[in-house]
Amino acid sequence: MIKSIGLFALTSLLVATPPAVAETLEATDHRLNYQGRIIKDWQNQDVQLNWPGSRLSFHFSGSQVDITMNGQGARFDVLVNGQLHQVLNTNYDNTVYPLVNLNAPDTIKVELVKRTETYDAMLTIDALNGDGQFEGSWVNQPHILFIGDSISAGFGSESNKRQCTQEEIFNTSNARKAFPSKAAQQLNASYSQVSYSGLGVLRNYNGNQPHHNASYYHDKAGAVFGFKQPFEDKHPNLIVIELGSNDFSTNLNEHEPWPDMTAFKEAWSDAYVTLLDNLRQRYGNVPVITAGNYVWPNNELIPGLEEVQTKLKQQNKEPINIVTTVSNLEGCLWHPTEAEHTAIADTLVNYINTHQLLK
């Protein structure tokens, strides 16, 4: 009789605690949290994204998670409980990639953060598969929209020298180590990036690629010229613009439409005011910070921002907050190192907190 009771109790225990069952989630599943501009294809249950710093996060109880996606050659940081777990290199077709492979089941937070820029196509996330259970990962945070160039994008942010090969640039570029990510983390805010290397408000580096500029992408889902599909994103509580280095860092070329720098600076400040008008039409009168570093050789950027401020005042429009940052640009091709990005983020965060701009 005693043996029968013991057998019944053991059987009941086994029934009450079944083993974890593998689970597959389509990319549009509500338990997957995306940060940044995304497109949800509800018919195919896929999600497209492109901008550097775009992030996917979720909680998971188990030991193994895979993701199926077309990563278009981009690199991602995979974080487990906030710590770097691996760097993921992607292909140009739909491929299954291991995200997490633990020695024993655990309950963890997983994040996939896009390190690099992609110009040719949107990336497509198809599905996730795990040997355990997925749960959502959401918090109520203020949101910041960053609009910038290679500095915001984290170009060479993990480098420690100015002369770099193309391979070194690719391997050391990481949006997660750039000042937008660092500032948002300090402020306990979520963020989106619209950052494109080499572009300016009106003029790109050395007058290149005149068919587009950074202002063109302020309302675009990704850095793919001509791609105009609507996207989802959080409404920003604050906008930070880091643009102008490419406009002013080289002399005008003969093929460019401005006869001299005086004419260009006038057109540039007008273009900046137009960009601000477009952003405020879309997002309302949220605070705007314009961040600028010394630009070799003539330091034209900060005076240019001051001229923008003057024009806004003359037109009875909302002013901007001009923040001057300091960086020696000791990374690849004269870009900030991670330590310099930290200093830029500290300057921004101090200004934001002092002026109570993030509410």
Side-chain angles (χ1 to χ4, degrees):
M1 186 68 177
I2 296 176
K3 289 183 178 180
S4 299
I5 294 175
L7 179 60
F8 175 78
L10 178 59
T11 303
S12 298
L13 179 62
L14 291 175
V15 171
T17 57
V21 178
E23 187 173 17
T24 298
L25 265 63
E26 298 292 346
T28 52
D29 192 282
H30 72 280
R31 286 166 287 181
L32 300 179
N33 179 45
Y34 294 91
Q35 182 172 291
R37 295 182 172 182
I38 64 167
I39 298 170
K40 289 187 176 180
D41 180 348
W42 293 104
Q43 181 173 352
N44 295 311
Q45 297 180 288
D46 294 338
V47 170
Q48 292 184 315
L49 54 84
N50 179 277
W51 292 113
S54 299
R55 183 181 303 244
L56 163 64
S57 62
F58 54 90
H59 285 104
F60 180 73
S61 296
S63 59
Q64 294 182 344
V65 181
D66 297 334
I67 187 169
T68 304
M69 67 174 170
N70 183 342
Q72 295 293 329
R75 297 188 103 196
F76 291 83
D77 279 352
V78 180
L79 308 178
V80 173
N81 295 333
Q83 301 298 313
L84 182 65
H85 183 69
Q86 66 159 315
V87 177
L88 182 66
N89 297 301
T90 66
N91 301 322
Y92 290 85
D93 53 15
N94 222 33
T95 304
V96 179
Y97 302 97
L99 286 186
V100 177
N101 190 356
L102 305 178
N103 293 327
D106 197 359
T107 298
I108 56 177
K109 180 180 180 180
V110 181
E111 297 170 274
L112 183 70
V113 187
K114 188 171 184 284
R115 294 169 54 107
T116 53
E117 298 179 73
T118 310
Y119 308 121
D120 296 330
M122 301 292 290
L123 286 62
T124 301
I125 299 177
D126 178 63
L128 284 92
N129 184 73
D131 66 352
Q133 185 175 2
F134 292 88
E135 295 292 344
S137 173
W138 306 284
V139 289
N140 186 18
Q141 297 173 299
H143 191 74
I144 307 173
L145 170 61
F146 290 91
I147 301 175
D149 51 34
S150 56
I151 296 177
S152 292
F155 183 103
S157 57
E158 294 182 336
S159 64
N160 56 12
K161 60 180 182 178
R162 288 173 174 157
Q163 301 303 316
C164 300
T165 65
Q166 287 300 313
E167 182 180 8
E168 288 172 329
I169 292 170
F170 182 73
N171 290 337
T172 62
S173 294
N174 189 350
R176 190 173 66 85
K177 299 295 183 71
F179 78 85
S181 175
K182 289 177 176 288
Q185 186 174 18
Q186 288 190 50
L187 293 163
N188 191 28
S190 59
Y191 75 99
S192 301
Q193 277 219 56
V194 177
S195 299
Y196 197 127
S197 291
L199 300 192
V201 174
L202 180 61
R203 176 178 183 262
N204 304 329
Y205 179 79
N206 202 31
N208 292 329
Q209 303 182 50
H211 63 281
H212 68 163
N213 52 40
S215 301
Y216 167 83
Y217 293 96
H218 82 275
D219 60 350
K220 302 297 187 295
V224 181
F225 182 74
F227 188 85
K228 299 179 180 180
Q229 190 167 339
F231 59 86
E232 296 181 19
D233 197 5
K234 290 182 66 176
H235 190 285
N237 303 91
L238 173 67
I239 299 173
V240 178
I241 305 173
E242 176 272 312
L243 288 172
S245 295
N246 292 305
D247 296 90
F248 292 111
S249 60
T250 58
N251 294 323
L252 294 174
N253 298 299
E254 291 185 0
H255 70 272
E256 297 186 77
W258 307 281
D260 51 40
M261 280 301 297
T262 299
F264 171 71
K265 287 188 285 187
E266 181 69 18
W268 184 86
S269 58
D270 286 341
Y272 212 123
V273 170
T274 299
L275 172 61
L276 292 168
D277 288 344
N278 290 335
L279 289 169
R280 284 167 171 158
Q281 182 179 16
R282 185 180 185 94
Y283 298 115
N285 286 328
V286 301
V288 176
I289 290 177
T290 58
N293 200 60
Y294 176 93
V295 177
W296 184 90
N298 299 314
N299 194 29
E300 301 279 11
L301 177 54
I302 303 304
L305 292 174
E306 292 170 349
E307 177 61 23
V308 171
Q309 188 80 292
T310 298
K311 288 188 174 182
L312 291 171
K313 184 176 181 180
Q314 291 171 346
Q315 298 173 28
N316 295 316
K317 295 177 178 177
E318 287 290 322
I320 52 177
N321 297 271
I322 301 174
V323 177
T324 302
T325 60
V326 178
S327 176
N328 292 327
L329 308 177
E330 296 180 348
C332 283
L333 303 186
W334 297 80
H335 283 79
T337 63
E338 182 179 356
E340 291 175 314
H341 275 288
T342 299
I344 294 171
D346 291 345
T347 299
L348 275 175
V349 169
N350 180 64
Y351 187 94
I352 292 167
N353 287 335
T354 299
H355 293 82
Q356 300 182 341
L357 295 181
L358 193 61
K359 300 177 182 178

